[in-house]
Amino acid sequence: MENKLIYASEATCFEEALPLGNGSLGTTVYGKCDKEKIALNHDTLWSGKPRLVKNDKAKEAFSESRRLALDGRLREATDLLERDFTSIWSNSYMPLGNLYAQFPQGEVRDYYRELDMQRGVVLVRYRQNDIRFEREYFVSHPDNCLVMHITSSRPADVAFSADSPLKSTSYAAERTLYLTGECPSSVAPRYAKDSVPTVYDGEGVKFAAVARVVTDGDCDFDQGTLRVFGATDTTVVLCVETSYIDFDTLPAKPYLAPCEEALQETAEKPYPLLLADHIADHSALYTRVELDLGFETPRKTTDQRIRGADSDLGMVELIYNFGRYLVIAASREGSEATNLQGIWNEHFYAPWSSNYTVNINTEMNYWPVLMNNLTGLDMPICDLLRKISVTGAAAAKEFYGAKGYCAHHNVDLWGHATPVGNHRCGCIGYAFWNMSAGWLCRHLWEHYEYTLDRDFLRDTAYPLMEGAAKFYLDIMVRDGDRYIITPTTSPENGYKHPVEGDLALAKSCTMTQAILMDLFSNILKAAAVLHVEDDFINRVRDVLPHLDPYAIGSEGQLLEYNDDFEEQDVHHRHISHLYGLYPGESITTQSTPALADACRVTLERRGDISTGWAMGWRVCLWAKLKDGDRVLSLIKNQLTFVDPHAAINYGCGGTYPNLLDAHPPFQIDGNYGVCAGITLMLLQCEDEKIRLLPALPSELKNGSVKGLKAKGDITVDMVWRDGNLTQYSLLSPVDCTVTVATAAGDTAVTLYAGVRKTCIG
């Protein structure tokens, strides 16, 4: 089983360091021999505070832009919206700081570094000055702390210190190291030169990171350094607390005393017990799924293997397991949703503010969760939508004069829901996109589909879906015999208008209509489950058949806009108009073959090489088109080695030495996207069927998988040989009959609650 990342040298940069996390506390471990660096993050450490964004011109600007769009005057509508509709930037995810451990100097031999994903433990060992050092690191969810355990074959010295790029103070006391500080109340993106870059006003999120040392050596301290002398066994336990309360409340919660109290309790636990409790918690999630593709692991380091990923097919298994590992490390029930960098960001000015980019990236972070038997770890994205439903109601009223709630393409810890861009020329392509709430609602419905949790559907999912739909119904207009939302954009993309030149704003877009189809269809399904019949449901039922349908262009491609416009960039990273193929369900190879063929043409035209996350989406789309060999080709492309020390090529992504996704720079969504795509090779739920091995590549002819989830909370195991399914088993919590689709045809399988049904393929 491919469960380990292995290296023969210490990390020289973030993209070589190894990530650990418990959903809230994230660390990256460098494994350095002289001055070890452990970068620290916390999921609630963001700039900013609750705020209400006002724009007195927005409602009129939107109304007028709609009139202009219907009249074909899209350039005027664009200028108007950029000037009077856009607004301030979202806030930024901030780094907490770094914990350092200074070791003796000397020649290093026999260096070894690994991340054991099954145990959630980083191991570093080496020889230096004839002393054998070994270190273990993990971030415990049960004890909510970082643990570093250092052993040496002979007594040795080590000194601990900490710092932060935030406004902060570091000091030491008896066997204890403190790092306290605060976040700015405002940090503008580095590219926003028209904004004040950083403001501290004392109302930002405050934090305390406190570490306690337990050692068989002697200790002393001096200002910001804690020293250990003559030790062979040292355990460092670090806890973090912040002043964050909730998205709509000033961050004024006590944080230092609670951090000290938590540390006092945790540091008293023996190291073996801390380790055992962590492994039991982490591995219980990780081992829910086991994939075996039958390849022998080569005797190479992971970075060497990435360079040879074309021929090392075991890397498919490794990158898949790494995606599952990252889900467990970055998203737990009660934590914040994973952002652009998951929970791992070392930059004060993070790329794209390391925020929630909800026109694809945040959603992609959660694609592999349910199908990989990690139910519950998807709750943070549902909680994110809960925030948006409140802040987005104010945004809908202030910016559109509409009911319900909405959000645009950037969200932050505080539920930022208004359009960003700050009136910059050219911002409409990303800022004016109001479909994110509708997309996020798909995660609510899928949670019900996979769990059959009727209480969740009634109390959480349906009210949130209803609120999002009410906004869209309120801003929708009739265009002939069709309902459309106008004007609109296809996220971050543009086209060549035959009269007005390069534009991003359009009368209508395929993605907008696809999300509406998706949301309205799922609302009707939910209403049927809950036996809801009212005026709202009647309105949804009336509008759904009259949404603008999909259209096919002159080259057989699925149209992205309301007309067959020429693309500004035919190879653009976003493939937004294929939302209906995946993650939506309105296009399938069986139910809509002509549209599926149009999607295939679109993907051919877009090309396979793109940014890291965009290749992850392409993996999923080709899987839904049932082309396994193309899927594997895309996975190999995504595994292209990217040198973190080389100049950034923003148009060509891949994988960094530590297996994190290279957009570039680092974005975690590509890891999650390829993990979901590999799962879709093996199992798909569509057209009311459970499809087994629907997109198996010919090179992956032998294998087995255990523990995948199909809709209905059905656990699926499979074995295949020579490319053919030989055996599968299904386990359901309720009595039911399902249709299983294999290469041999469709079979109705009756299941009884709690009884595993094994079938010959």
Side-chain angles (χ1 to χ4, degrees), residues 600-618:
R600 183 176 287 104
V601 173
T602 297
L603 284 169
E604 293 283 7
R605 285 163 52 85
R606 273 292 201 263
D608 290 352
I609 304 300
S610 191
T611 61
W613 69 262
M615 287 191 285
W617 195 355
R618 285 159 169 78

Side-chain angles (χ1 to χ4, degrees), residues 582-650:
Y582 190 80
E585 298 177 309
S586 52
I587 298 175
T588 71
T589 53
Q590 187 174 59
S591 64
T592 58
L595 292 176
D597 286 342
C599 291
R600 183 176 287 104
V601 173
T602 297
L603 284 169
E604 293 283 7
R605 285 163 52 85
R606 273 292 201 263
D608 290 352
I609 304 300
S610 191
T611 61
W613 69 262
M615 287 191 285
W617 195 355
R618 285 159 169 78
V619 171
C620 296
L621 291 164
W622 280 109
K624 291 291 287 183
L625 290 173
K626 314 301 186 291
D627 190 334
D629 287 341
R630 194 60 170 269
V631 169
L632 184 57
S633 175
L634 261 296
I635 294 170
K636 291 177 179 179
N637 287 343
Q638 190 159 17
L639 283 167
T640 299
F641 182 86
V642 175
D643 184 349
H645 301 289
I648 290 179
N649 179 350
Y650 288 98

Side-chain angles (χ1 to χ4, degrees), residues 175-196:
R175 295 180 181 265
T176 306
L177 185 66
Y178 291 83
L179 179 63
T180 61
E182 65 177 285
C183 291
S185 59
S186 177
V187 174
R190 187 180 290 278
Y191 47 80
K193 297 178 181 178
D194 52 342
S195 303
V196 177

Side-chain angles (χ1 to χ4, degrees), residues 645-724:
H645 301 289
I648 290 179
N649 179 350
Y650 288 98
C652 185
T655 299
Y656 287 121
N658 59 3
L659 278 192
L660 288 175
D661 172 66
H663 177 292
F666 161 56
Q667 279 188 195
I668 204 167
D669 37 24
N671 290 106
Y672 293 130
V674 72
C675 180
I678 293 169
T679 314
L680 291 170
M681 289 189 331
L682 308 174
L683 174 67
Q684 296 178 23
C685 297
E686 65 176 22
D687 300 324
E688 307 299 322
K689 298 175 183 179
I690 299 174
R691 298 189 181 278
L692 305 183
L693 302 183
L696 185 68
S698 56
E699 290 185 73
L700 306 182
K701 59 183 179 180
N702 299 312
S704 65
V705 66
K706 297 179 181 178
L708 295 181
K709 280 289 184 179
K711 292 178 181 179
D713 198 16
I714 296 171
T715 306
V716 180
D717 298 349
M718 286 180 282
V719 178
W720 63 95
R721 294 290 180 268
D722 295 323
N724 298 311

Side-chain angles (χ1 to χ4, degrees), residues 174-417:
E174 184 67 30
R175 295 180 181 265
T176 306
L177 185 66
Y178 291 83
L179 179 63
T180 61
E182 65 177 285
C183 291
S185 59
S186 177
V187 174
R190 187 180 290 278
Y191 47 80
K193 297 178 181 178
D194 52 342
S195 303
V196 177
T198 304
V199 175
Y200 285 98
D201 65 3
E203 293 188 339
V205 179
K206 299 175 179 63
F207 70 89
V210 186
R212 180 74 49 82
V213 172
V214 179
T215 181
D216 62 1
D218 297 322
C219 286
D220 73 6
F221 59 92
D222 178 20
Q223 297 181 356
T225 302
L226 180 64
R227 296 182 177 87
V228 174
F229 302 98
T232 61
D233 192 297
T234 299
T235 301
V236 181
V237 179
L238 180 141
C239 293
V240 175
E241 293 288 342
T242 78
S243 64
Y244 176 76
I245 300 172
D246 207 345
F247 71 100
D248 56 357
T249 307
L250 278 173
K253 183 185 68 160
Y255 58 97
L256 179 55
C259 189
E260 291 176 312
E261 292 167 7
L263 182 64
Q264 179 66 34
E265 180 179 347
T266 303
E268 290 178 354
K269 291 181 66 171
Y271 174 75
L273 183 56
L274 286 168
L275 178 63
D277 288 348
H278 159 70
I279 291 175
D281 167 77
H282 176 88
S283 63
L285 294 167
Y286 184 86
T287 57
R288 286 183 183 179
V289 172
E290 295 179 10
L291 174 64
D292 184 359
L293 296 177
F295 298 104
E296 185 176 344
T297 303
R299 300 176 69 86
K300 293 181 180 180
T301 59
T302 300
D303 49 329
Q304 290 172 333
R305 295 183 66 188
I306 301 171
R307 294 177 186 273
D310 273 359
S311 57
D312 183 357
L313 294 178
M315 288 297 296
V316 176
E317 189 179 318
L318 187 66
I319 197 72
Y320 167 76
N321 284 333
F322 189 58
R324 295 191 304 112
Y325 166 81
L326 291 173
V327 170
I328 298 165
S331 185
R332 292 292 191 103
E333 195 159 0
S335 74
E336 299 300 318
T338 49
N339 59 54
L340 277 175
Q341 276 71 41
I343 53 172
W344 299 283
N345 164 48
E346 292 192 355
H347 300 288
F348 187 92
Y349 293 105
W352 302 286
S353 301
S354 191
N355 61 18
Y356 300 116
T357 304
V358 285
N359 62 15
I360 170 65
N361 313 95
T362 304
E363 291 90 343
M364 184 182 283
N365 287 356
Y366 286 86
W367 285 354
V369 177
L370 293 167
M371 63 178 79
N372 279 290
N373 205 350
L374 292 172
T375 303
L377 276 59
D378 62 320
M379 293 313 298
I381 197 171
C382 301
D383 293 338
L384 180 65
L385 192 55
R386 172 186 65 86
K387 294 182 185 183
I388 293 171
S389 70
V390 177
T391 57
K397 183 177 180 181
E398 176 73 12
F399 281 70
Y400 297 88
K403 304 182 187 70
Y405 69 91
C406 68
H408 296 77
H409 103 291
N410 277 163
V411 178
D412 59 23
L413 179 71
W414 313 103
H416 182 100

Side-chain angles (χ1 to χ4, degrees), residues 504-518:
L505 202 69
K507 178 181 177 182
S508 65
C509 290
T510 298
M511 185 193 218
T512 298
Q513 298 300 99
I515 290 176
L516 293 174
M517 292 179 201
D518 194 51

